Amino acid sequence: MKRVIVTEHPLIQHKLTLMRMKDTGSKDFRELLTEITMLMGYEVTKDLPLSEIEIETPVMKTKSKVLSGKKLAIVPILRAGIGMVDGFISLIPAAKVGHIGLYRDPETCKPVEYYCKLPQDIGEREVLLVDPMLATGGSATAAIELLREKGAKNIRMINLVAAPEGIEEVHSKYPDVDIYVAAVDEKLNDHKYIIPGLGDAGDRLFGTK
Ligand code: PRP
Ligand code: URA
């Protein structure tokens, strides 16, 4: 319960440093996020169950392991979460993708929902909820609430950078949701931005600032 898994692999930490630098442009930012997502994917999928099937190699018949049919759904929180979809899809091509549209109101910093489209059988799927930033935790908890309303049972959250405040908020409401993160930063500033952080992930990904 209340598991936070910090993925401290040197490649992830190196690439995250490049993403944090203010002069890193959108193209590099996007590519680095995809690369980090794939590296984090190794840790996130480490416990997927396997079963053995009979196969024939060019040399002989043998038994070999395959993923044992656990169905997955990748659910990005729009917009910035979109930047983590390609990395996961390339690792798990059979996964379905749902979308939850939320933006943080600039005045109140509270999440506003504007879109939700999930796979119909979301209740039978292991959900990977992805968003680069976990700041106050408002967007994450709103997304988890929506997923639960639609029947999702098993949810794991994957963030690039989290503030301690956001982790605390998610786990106070949903202690069973494991949080995978590349870095837990110091805190939130007065504008509820993560510090040191990397700025506005959505704007940096899509070049909107
Ligand atoms: C960012 C980020 C998270 C949210 C985190 O999205 O991608 O969804 O803020 O903040 P919180 O933990 O305080 O809710 P934003 O609202 O800026 O929308 P965008 O992805 O469309 O830019
Ligand atoms: N959203 C972001 O993109 N960055 C932050 O630091 C906080 C919320």
Side-chain angles (χ1 to χ4, degrees):
M1 282 292 158
K2 290 197 180 182
R3 288 206 320 146
V4 179
I5 300 99
V6 184
T7 52
E8 282 173 334
H9 192 287
L11 286 174
I12 295 178
Q13 296 307 315
H14 177 86
K15 288 171 191 290
L16 176 57
T17 298
L18 299 178
M19 290 185 75
R20 288 185 192 274
M21 292 175 177
K22 67 179 171 52
D23 292 331
T24 299
S26 288
K27 176 180 181 289
D28 289 340
F29 193 89
R30 266 196 300 274
E31 288 173 4
L32 288 161
L33 182 55
T34 297
E35 290 164 11
I36 293 178
T37 304
M38 292 178 76
L39 291 164
M40 290 182 76
Y42 177 84
E43 189 65 35
V44 174
T45 55
K46 213 160 88 176
D47 61 350
L48 289 183
L50 293 168
S51 56
E52 276 196 331
I53 58 166
E54 294 250 11
I55 60 159
E56 206 170 336
T57 76
V59 185
M60 62 175 284
K61 285 190 176 169
T62 186
K63 288 187 175 166
S64 197
K65 294 186 173 93
V66 289
L67 291 172
S68 70
K70 190 157 201 162
K71 295 197 283 185
L72 296 172
I74 300 156
V75 179
I77 301 178
L78 307 182
R79 288 175 300 169
I82 291 173
M84 298 177 81
V85 172
D86 281 356
F88 271 114
I89 278 287
S90 54
L91 293 176
I92 318 155
K96 291 198 173 168
V97 182
H99 294 86
I100 293 178
L102 293 171
Y103 71 87
R104 223 170 64 149
D105 182 286
E107 298 297 320
T108 64
C109 289
K110 300 279 181 221
V112 181
E113 184 196 332
Y114 60 90
Y115 188 75
C116 181
K117 182 87 182 173
L118 300 171
Q120 270 195 335
D121 58 354
I122 192 79
E124 293 155 36
R125 290 179 178 269
E126 181 83 27
V127 176
L128 309 183
L129 179 63
V130 299
D131 190 334
M133 309 307 278
L134 177 61
T136 64
S139 305
T141 48
I144 296 168
E145 195 178 317
L146 261 170
L147 284 162
R148 285 273 153 87
E149 275 170 23
K150 306 272 182 189
K153 294 174 204 77
N154 301 315
I155 302 169
R156 37 189 106 179
M157 168 115 219
I158 300 101
N159 305 113
L160 186 65
V161 180
E165 294 91 329
I167 292 173
E168 176 57 32
E169 172 67 7
V170 171
H171 273 164
S172 68
K173 296 197 168 118
Y174 302 104
D176 59 316
V177 171
D178 289 346
I179 301 174
Y180 293 80
V181 64
V184 179
D185 275 10
E186 196 187 325
K187 59 178 183 175
L188 298 176
N189 68 10
D190 293 345
H191 304 286
K192 308 284 185 209
Y193 267 73
I194 300 172
I195 53 171
L198 47 72
D200 187 308
D203 282 344
R204 294 197 64 189
L205 261 177
F206 298 111
T208 43
K209 212 169 209 171

